[in-house]
Amino acid sequence: MSNFLNESVINVKGIGPESQTALEIMGLFTVGDLLEHIPYRYEDYRLKDLEEVKHDERVTVQGVVHSAPVASYFGRKKSRITTRVLVDRYLLTAVFFNQPYVKSKLTLGSVVTLTGKWDKHRQTLTVSEMKLGDATRAEELKPLYHTKGEVTTKALQRYIQNAFKQYEHEIKENLPASLRDRYKLLPRMETLKRLHFPSNFDDVKQARRRMVYEEFLLFQLKMQALRKYERENSKGIAHTYKEEALDAFIQGLPFPLTNAQERVVKEITDDLRSPYRMNRLLQGDVGSGKTVVAAIALYAITLSGFQGALMVPTEILAEQHEEGLKSLLEPVGIKVALLTSSVKGKQRRLLLENLKEGKIDILIGTHALIQDEVDFKCLGLVITDEQHRFGVEQRRILREKGVAPDVLFMTATPIPRTLAITAFGEMDVSIIDELPAGRKKIETYWVKHNMIDRVIGFIEKELQKGRQAYVICPLIEESEKLDVQNAIDVHVMLSHTFAPNYRVGLMHGRLSSDEKEDVMKAFSANEHHILVSTTVVEVGVNVPNATIMVIYDAERFGLSQLHQLRGRVGRGAEQSYCILLADPKSEAGKERMTIMTETNDGFVLSEKDLELRGPGDFFGKKQSGLPEFKIADMVHDYRALEVARQDAVTLINSKTFWESDEYKCLRETVLQSGALAGEKLD
Ligand code: ADP
Ligand code: MG
């Protein structure tokens, strides 16, 4: 099928070899690329009532010049012209920087249309654009394009206009009529036209709605195709074991499982017994009891004669998991071992040998687990805790250690649903959305730093009751060294304050792992009553006697991270407290602190975090694994994302999608993407 939109941009009138090169640098090679280069925003020139305009917002107003302009000149290039303009009932000051030519135009009594930034406090408009007389309605909306290098917005607009003239009728519909009817979506050609040449905001809104759905649907179709492919073509291990044995183990646990735990255990064991390879994400808030779920899964595969691995991001966490799993699994005869970088020499050799001979059932460790020298006899299940801290590559290497081990990713950072179904769209997801009964809500307070004396008094009261406290020190971006220094300073201060009755421990990333372990052990054993720490303590650490979490400069942390830190307390029977020391300057910062005091629900916080910080920042910059959408926005368009995902699931599993002509276009897109060849999508 010939497709004229695949022709080079050089075929568009007005584009010569030079502009072609410039456009190609922007990634615009074909006519189609050009037509789909959609404005990222529209400048709004509609007149507004100043009453409704916020401080520092850009606005267009119309008024009458009310005073003769006053000009000041600074050197040869710089100038400032001010005048008073009457807009409705406002007599405002209009300021023009470096636009000396406006002076002669600002005659008393003339009507002007001004666009600029509104300083609400000073009643001043810093004008960037001025038109004499009434603004024409055609200028209400001006599309803004991302540009690069030589290409200007103006030129781009002209190219796109010409491309439309020549190629308009080549723009093919790719959504079937049934879907367009169901959601009342504009045809594709009309959509693009409105996006580039809108006459009003409703035009843009309707067009955007159509493009967002299209973009999400195509993406989700690819993900679902990949998921289906991986499920059906993966040769996993169909684990077999006596269910009574596993049931007996679960009955023997010190507590009954919550309903949510029971549900995810079933989802996981169903996967283990199936011949498909498990590729599952297990989400559960801090304290929801993921470890025991992991233990059950690991026990199940040892019953079927395989080994299991549990990979965690830090040594402290590895040690705690070792302790936890040993206490659960050793009584039933399972051999659990720990491998970290501190296991050295002969001990290490022996461990690796035993692993290879199958004398070790479960191996726990940090990324040391994925080194070449580590060989399992028959690895059947890999679990990673706090998976987002492992790179995609590390996850892959670990998966390849077994023949085809099942894989379970656990995370205590609840991932907002919109991100979960995009970043992990090809995985199955299990959620523990319930805490074990009887947990007390952690009381959270937000106080200013100048209240530190009262906070210290509060800590002291808890210490007198025999409890312990964490004090987390400021996070300083990009400098671990400064983080450490901060922790040291606070440690000195608190040691002083609490001497001689209480001892204060210090933990930071510069300590060797032996030193860290010693500090952690001393705190666990209540030999240290307070632990001052940088955020290394964040993940997984479990000291049930600790009831206070104090966080310095809390406004520097994201909500999810604060929630993780808070999750270090509230692990025992006593009432626990979290105190956020923060003097946030921004409204968003204040909002974050308030939300923390209002909810203990990690899922609510993660949604809020996403809203306040955006998807790019959610996982941290490096390994977000998030796709980039041209026009759709995962956060604001989440409803469309849900709908598109549901439609994609239904379509991929329907006969019509694979056979009917109506879906030919969508089908081809999915096939071209390589999703069905099992290739990873970017
Ligand atoms: P997380 O999901 O944060 O890893 P853990 O697995 O560490 O949570 O569990 C937190 C605490 O709750 C542990 O002390 C664990 O023994 C306990 N726990 C787990 N499941 C239950 C349950 N069903 N009933 C009571 N306590 C439980
Ligand atoms: Mg855990």
Side-chain angles (χ1 to χ4, degrees):
M1 187 177 76
S2 71
N3 186 344
F4 295 101
L5 297 186
N6 285 336
E7 288 179 359
S8 159
V9 287
I10 193 123
N11 293 318
V12 174
K13 202 169 144 254
I15 299 181
E18 254 172 65
S19 336
Q20 180 193 9
T21 312
L23 287 168
E24 287 182 357
I25 290 171
M26 286 177 59
L28 306 177
F29 295 88
T30 66
V31 177
D33 292 341
L34 192 60
L35 292 176
E36 287 181 16
H37 189 68
I38 290 161
Y40 66 91
R41 203 162 62 77
Y42 299 86
E43 202 95 90
D44 184 358
Y45 287 92
R46 288 176 299 179
L47 298 180
K48 293 240 173 68
D49 185 348
L50 279 173
E51 192 79 59
E52 286 152 23
V53 179
K54 291 198 197 85
H55 178 65
D56 264 0
E57 220 171 57
R58 185 185 167 285
V59 64
T60 300
V61 292
Q62 212 168 82
V64 179
V65 177
H66 205 71
S67 70
V70 180
S72 340
Y73 299 92
F74 317 95
R76 246 192 300 153
K77 293 226 174 98
K78 298 200 165 146
S79 67
R80 184 182 65 212
I81 291 166
T82 51
T83 183
R84 310 278 277 170
V85 178
L86 185 66
V87 176
D88 300 331
R89 56 205 174 282
Y90 279 88
L91 188 57
L92 57 86
T93 308
V95 188
F96 302 78
F97 286 105
N98 310 324
Q99 301 163 63
Y101 43 84
V102 301
K103 188 171 176 231
S104 59
K105 298 180 180 164
L106 293 166
T107 50
L108 271 179
S110 59
V111 174
V112 286
T113 303
L114 306 172
T115 301
K117 202 159 122 183
W118 177 232
D119 183 330
K120 208 174 181 86
H121 312 313
R122 298 204 171 81
Q123 301 276 295
T124 297
L125 188 71
T126 305
V127 180
S128 50
E129 290 169 60
M130 179 178 83
K131 283 258 151 67
L132 289 179
D134 295 358
T136 55
R137 293 192 63 84
E139 276 186 322
E140 279 182 350
L141 275 184
K142 183 169 138 199
L144 297 178
Y145 293 93
H146 285 297
T147 56
K148 220 192 217 165
E150 314 276 285
V151 184
T152 63
T153 304
K154 244 197 172 130
L156 203 54
Q157 269 166 340
R158 203 177 58 242
Y159 301 152
I160 291 171
Q161 207 152 15
N162 289 343
F164 252 95
K165 271 190 206 135
Q166 288 169 250
Y167 291 91
E168 180 168 320
H169 299 291
E170 303 300 330
I171 300 174
K172 299 265 167 2
E173 184 54 61
N174 58 356
L175 294 180
S178 56
L179 285 177
R180 270 193 295 129
D181 286 352
R182 188 185 314 161
Y183 302 119
K184 303 206 169 22
L185 301 174
L186 292 170
R188 196 161 207 276
M189 192 252 271
E190 178 70 20
T191 302
L192 289 173
K193 205 171 195 171
R194 289 201 195 184
L195 287 169
H196 290 296
F197 317 108
S199 46
N200 57 52
F201 262 101
D202 193 55
D203 261 18
V204 174
K205 205 170 135 198
Q206 294 307 327
R208 227 191 136 263
R209 199 166 66 83
R210 138 96 211 204
M211 277 319 263
V212 166
Y213 178 77
E214 176 189 317
E215 206 172 16
F216 279 151
L217 183 71
L218 283 173
F219 176 75
Q220 288 292 342
L221 281 172
K222 290 173 196 169
M223 291 294 246
Q224 295 311 319
L226 181 65
R227 181 172 168 196
K228 186 175 153 82
Y229 177 90
E230 290 207 333
R231 243 187 128 71
E232 291 176 358
N233 292 280
S234 67
K235 291 213 174 43
I237 309 155
H239 289 285
T240 51
Y241 55 85
K242 284 213 183 70
E243 286 190 45
E244 304 86 71
L246 191 66
D247 286 345
F249 175 69
I250 295 173
Q251 293 305 321
L253 291 170
F255 40 72
L257 295 183
T258 61
N259 291 330
Q261 281 170 323
E262 258 178 36
R263 191 185 62 238
V264 303
V265 163
K266 179 167 183 326
E267 287 165 357
I268 292 166
T269 49
D270 281 352
D271 275 358
L272 293 177
R273 284 197 307 266
S274 87
Y276 301 137
R277 200 168 165 183
M278 176 164 72
N279 187 24
R280 187 172 283 279
L281 178 70
L282 172 60
Q283 295 194 58
D285 211 340
V286 260
S288 62
K290 291 183 296 297
T291 312
V292 66
V293 171
I296 294 168
L298 289 167
Y299 185 58
I301 59 123
T302 60
L303 285 175
S304 108
F306 285 83
Q307 293 168 298
L310 176 62
M311 192 157 97
V312 297
T314 64
E315 301 212 343
I316 298 178
L317 198 53
E319 282 153 20
Q320 290 211 341
H321 269 310
E322 180 201 27
E323 213 174 290
L325 288 186
K326 270 190 174 158
S327 74
L328 291 168
L329 293 170
E330 280 190 346
V332 287
I334 301 300
K335 186 93 181 66
V336 179
L338 174 72
L339 179 67
T340 62
S341 55
S342 7
V343 180
K344 293 194 179 96
K346 195 167 160 227
Q347 200 192 350
R348 188 182 190 89
R349 273 201 306 281
L350 194 67
L351 189 152
L352 292 174
E353 226 173 86
N354 284 338
L355 187 69
K356 209 168 173 175
E357 288 169 12
K359 288 183 193 153
I360 291 171
D361 299 306
I362 310 290
L363 187 65
I364 300 167
T366 55
H367 52 268
L369 283 196
I370 55 173
Q371 283 156 11
D372 277 345
E373 46 164 3
V374 183
D375 279 324
F376 291 81
K377 182 166 179 236
C378 49
L379 181 59
L381 171 64
V382 174
I383 302 181
T384 72
D385 199 7
E386 297 308 326
Q387 50 72 36
H388 63 285
R389 291 174 173 244
F390 287 115
V392 175
E393 183 61 5
Q394 286 171 313
R395 274 158 28 190
R396 191 185 59 76
I397 295 173
L398 187 61
R399 217 155 26 133
E400 286 174 1
K401 285 231 163 253
V403 185
D406 287 313
V407 184
L408 180 68
F409 300 103
M410 302 201 293
T411 174
T413 312
I415 301 168
R417 192 171 151 73
T418 47
L419 293 192
I421 65 180
T422 35
F424 303 99
E426 90 290 8
M427 297 175 84
D428 295 304
V429 179
S430 288
I431 298 178
I432 308 184
D433 51 4
E434 177 187 3
L435 296 182
R439 285 279 166 76
K440 289 201 174 73
K441 186 174 175 289
I442 300 164
E443 279 180 32
T444 303
Y445 304 99
W446 162 31
V447 300
K448 303 255 160 81
H449 280 98
N450 61 18
M451 301 268 285
I452 184 71
D453 287 344
R454 288 187 58 184
V455 173
I456 285 172
F458 189 67
I459 295 176
E460 189 165 13
K461 272 207 197 112
E462 284 292 298
L463 296 187
Q464 280 162 2
K465 288 191 235 162
R467 307 283 113 71
Q468 289 165 277
Y470 292 99
V471 177
I472 303 299
C473 282
L475 176 83
I476 291 170
E477 264 131 65
E478 280 137 68
S479 169
E480 198 201 348
K481 203 167 148 199
L482 287 177
D483 281 1
V484 170
Q485 190 51 49
N486 263 311
I488 292 171
D489 293 346
V490 171
H491 178 248
V492 168
M493 187 273 282
L494 289 176
S495 301
H496 233 76
T497 311
F498 284 103
N501 296 333
Y502 301 105
R503 281 180 304 280
V504 185
L506 173 64
M507 167 83 101
H508 55 69
R510 291 286 163 100
L511 299 181
S512 71
S513 44
D514 280 353
E515 290 168 321
K516 277 186 206 156
E517 193 179 329
D518 289 346
V519 175
M520 222 40 237
K521 278 202 178 124
F523 188 63
S524 278
N526 203 1
E527 286 159 18
H528 287 158
H529 305 98
I530 298 175
L531 181 63
V532 174
S533 176
T534 58
T535 51
V536 291
V537 81
E538 180 190 342
V539 195
V541 169
N542 193 23
V543 179
N545 191 46
T547 54
I548 298 193
M549 167 60 66
V550 177
I551 305 171
Y552 269 88
D553 285 349
E555 76 272 17
R556 292 174 187 260
F557 298 89
L559 285 173
S560 295
Q561 204 180 7
L562 288 173
H563 183 60
Q564 280 290 313
L565 288 167
R566 178 167 64 183
R568 296 311 104 214
V569 297
R571 309 196 133 230
E574 307 300 331
Q575 176 61 52
S576 288
Y577 307 90
C578 175
I579 299 168
L580 308 169
L581 284 166
D583 303 304
K585 298 206 174 55
S586 69
E587 285 307 313
K590 286 175 193 160
E591 199 181 335
R592 290 217 305 274
M593 296 306 108
T594 309
I595 296 162
M596 281 300 295
T597 64
E598 285 168 354
T599 182
N600 266 284
D601 185 327
F603 281 94
V604 172
L605 288 168
S606 78
E607 295 286 351
K608 212 62 205 180
D609 211 13
L610 177 63
E611 203 181 298
L612 293 172
R613 295 201 299 172
D617 279 344
F618 192 84
F619 293 109
K621 293 245 168 355
K622 268 193 211 130
Q623 27 168 289
S624 76
L626 289 173
E628 278 182 25
F629 294 109
K630 269 193 199 152
I631 187 163
D633 176 317
M634 277 176 280
V635 180
H636 294 106
D637 303 319
Y638 72 94
R639 280 203 193 86
L641 178 59
E642 284 284 356
V643 169
R645 175 177 160 95
Q646 208 41 59
D647 289 344
V649 172
T650 313
L651 285 177
I652 288 292
N653 293 305
S654 73
K655 239 178 131 140
T656 2
F657 179 77
W658 297 107
E659 289 168 7
S660 143
D661 263 358
E662 207 195 357
Y663 292 99
K664 189 156 173 264
C665 199
L666 286 180
R667 199 160 60 224
E668 277 171 4
T669 315
V670 172
L671 290 169
Q672 273 162 19
S673 74
L676 292 184
E679 284 166 30
K680 259 295 188 221
L681 301 159
D682 43 44

